[in-house]
Structures are given as C-alpha cells and as structure tokens.
Amino acid sequence: MGMESQNIIRSSATSSLTPSPDARKRQIQVTKLIDVTCCTGCKGCMDACSEWNNLRGKVGTFEGSYQNPPNTTAETWTTIHFKEIEEDNKFKWLFSKHSCMHCSDPGCLKACPEPDAIVQYENGVVDFNSEKCVGCGYCIAGCPFDIPRMNPVDNRVYKCTLCLDRLQAGQVPSCAKTCPTGALRFGEREEILEYANQRVAALKAKGHKNAGVYNPAGVGGTHVIYVLHDITDPERYDLPKDPKISETVKLWKDDVKPLAAAGLFGTLALAAVHRVTVGRSRVAEEEGDE
C-alpha cells in the first residue's frame, strides 16, 4: 500500500471508520510542504490546478494589491497571497499559497450532516463527494481556515482534493509538479516533516531566529504544512494562529446530536413498551365488554 491508498477511515454524518490492524501497519500518509521562503509568487501552481481540474474561474481585478483573485472560490481552489510589508526599513514581499489544509481532524467533515458527502482517506486526504452535497454550507462554517466555497450554479461546495486522482495513479499533485523554485514539495509525511525541519534549521542559521513549521495541533495537524520565516506571527501570511474546530460544531456533533439520537431511541422504546403493555390491556378490556 503506497501513497495512492484510498481506503476511507472517516466519513461525514456516520460512525467513525477504522482500517483493519493489518492495513494500519502499511498505512502511508502524505503531506505537501509550502516553503514560503522559496515562493516567488509566479502563480504557476494556480494555473496547474486550474488546468488539471478543468476549473475556469472568473477573471478578477486588482484592488489595491497584486493579489488576484483575493481568495479561493468554487472555481479557484488555490490562490497565491501577496503581502507587502516593511521590515528593517526595507520593503519586502511575502508570498504564500493557500488551499485546503487537509486537516487530521477536519472541521468540515465534522460539521457536515450528509452521510458520505465528505470523506477522509487513509493517506490523509479530505475529499468532497459533490454528488451527495445538499448545499447546506455547514462545512464552510466548520472550516477554521475559511477554504470551502459554494458554487452558486449547482449549489454545491468545492475545494482542493490534493489531486486525489493523480495520487491514485502514483503521481504528485499538479501544483507541486509545476512549481519551478522548489517551494512546493510532496511525499510521505515523515520525510516531508524531516525536510521541513532541515529548512527551519537552515533559516535559523541565516538569522531567522523565529523560523518554524506551521502544522497546527488544534486540528490534529495538517497534511499541508508551511515553512515560515516567523512562526510566532502566522497571521502575516494570512494563516490563523491557533485554528480549532468551532465550539458550536463540537457541541452539536459531540453532545447535542448524540443526546437527540438517544432521546429518539428512548421514545421509540417507550412507545414499544406502551404498545405491549397498555395496548394489550385495552384489547383485553374491550374483549371482556363484548
């Protein structure tokens, strides 16, 4: 079982699925690294994503920045953010690629009420089954990274799939394949994490004392990680500092919904008992009166 594994381990609105012990031994998780220190903002990854997934987003306009489009859409699954900053009396650019983070504990999957509309595969990829999407938008509210987008044409939600079809064929995502500077790397999770730590050590040796790997624990870690110049201030790269699943989603899924289900089963059980006991008594009384 390689990186192309597509065994489902979790699905929306269903009980958690667990791979067999044998499958777990052979499980290989994948990760994509975005090294912002190497990104030149060429947008090659955006074009590759659009071409491979046959996406045709609307042509945007520049509004006070070179960033265009301003954010992901149902037809634009990855964007490059342009940040202009002043540091040490010098003008600097910060470029960062943004798309689905493929969380280990996905808020979108947890929020989704439709069975199997969102699935998480054994290799770490979180994918949307648009055919089963009912357009409620709960996954959008459940994502702490504000990534999924509703398509007004078919009222369904879309996002990056990490090129799941390419992984199935033993290929890397189209964005990583296209990147000309090495800012994007893709492979087995342990190898990518090791390389990311090596990059951080090199950056610290060059004077970036706060360099670090962005792999937020609040969502159980992500399968898209970043190497940042300054890990103490991820907001400057438009990344949340401490992303977590909404407490509302947790309350509904972990507390209220199980109680509601228990209440329903309890009601059905009481109805059955009532039918067996009181119902029979009434029948007996009626037969006696006759």
Side-chain angles (χ1 to χ4, degrees):
M1 183 181 302
M3 293 187 296
E4 66 273 14
S5 167
Q6 292 194 37
N7 294 329
I8 296 175
I9 61 170
R10 191 157 28 166
S11 179
S12 58
T14 60
S15 299
S16 297
L17 302 175
T18 306
S20 65
D22 184 55
R24 224 180 277 126
K25 292 177 184 177
R26 294 175 289 155
Q27 175 179 340
I28 296 178
Q29 294 195 349
V30 297
T31 296
K32 179 170 68 178
L33 169 66
I34 303 173
D35 188 344
V36 302
T37 68
C38 298
C39 182
T40 61
C42 73
K43 297 187 178 182
C45 56
M46 292 178 58
D47 289 340
C49 177
S50 297
E51 287 298 318
W52 181 260
N53 295 290
N54 195 27
L55 303 173
R56 296 295 180 264
K58 293 182 179 179
V59 177
T61 57
F62 294 105
E63 299 179 3
S65 170
Y66 285 109
Q67 183 175 320
N68 180 23
N71 215 324
T72 57
T73 70
E75 291 287 337
T76 303
W77 295 353
T78 186
T79 58
I80 294 293
H81 287 205
F82 285 57
K83 300 295 288 290
E84 306 166 27
I85 65 169
E86 185 177 338
E87 191 174 75
D88 300 327
N89 295 321
K90 294 180 180 179
F91 176 81
K92 294 183 178 180
W93 282 104
L94 290 181
F95 304 115
S96 56
K97 178 183 181 298
H98 290 257
S99 59
C100 175
M101 300 292 287
H102 297 274
C103 307
S104 294
D105 187 14
C108 59
L109 186 149
K110 199 157 195 173
C112 179
E114 187 66 14
D116 303 324
I118 302 177
V119 296
Q120 183 178 33
Y121 292 100
E122 191 175 16
N123 60 7
V125 175
V126 178
D127 193 22
F128 282 16
N129 185 352
S130 298
E131 294 300 318
K132 295 187 177 182
C133 178
V134 296
C136 66
Y138 289 173
C139 59
I140 299 174
C143 175
F145 296 97
D146 188 31
I147 291 296
R149 290 290 182 268
M150 182 80 70
N151 189 333
V153 177
D154 61 7
N155 201 43
R156 292 172 176 169
V157 180
Y158 297 88
K159 70 168 189 65
C160 158
T161 67
L162 208 59
C163 286
L164 191 61
D165 51 350
R166 291 177 62 90
L167 299 188
Q168 188 176 20
Q171 302 181 55
V172 302
S174 58
C175 58
K177 179 72 174 179
T178 304
C179 181
T181 64
L184 300 181
R185 282 182 174 249
F186 182 85
E188 295 184 20
R189 184 166 181 79
E190 294 303 321
E191 293 179 0
I192 293 297
L193 287 172
E194 181 180 356
Y195 175 79
N197 288 325
Q198 291 174 0
R199 285 290 301 141
V200 168
L203 288 169
K204 288 184 175 180
K206 292 181 178 180
H208 297 282
K209 61 180 181 179
N210 292 326
V213 176
Y214 183 80
N215 181 27
V219 290
T222 54
H223 290 81
V224 175
I225 63 175
Y226 289 77
V227 168
L228 304 178
H229 303 86
D230 187 356
I231 193 64
T232 66
D233 188 18
E235 289 96 339
R236 73 192 306 192
Y237 309 92
D238 293 334
L239 294 168
K241 190 165 188 175
D242 186 21
K244 295 178 180 178
I245 297 177
S246 166
E247 292 299 326
T248 303
V249 172
K250 288 182 178 180
L251 179 65
W252 163 244
K253 288 291 185 175
D254 296 338
D255 299 324
V256 177
K257 191 173 181 180
L259 288 175
L264 175 61
F265 285 122
T267 300
L268 293 175
L270 288 174
V273 171
H274 182 275
R275 176 67 178 172
V276 171
T277 56
V278 178
R280 285 182 176 177
S281 297
R282 289 180 178 176
V283 170
E285 292 175 0
E286 291 175 356
E287 291 177 348
D289 292 340
E290 291 178 357

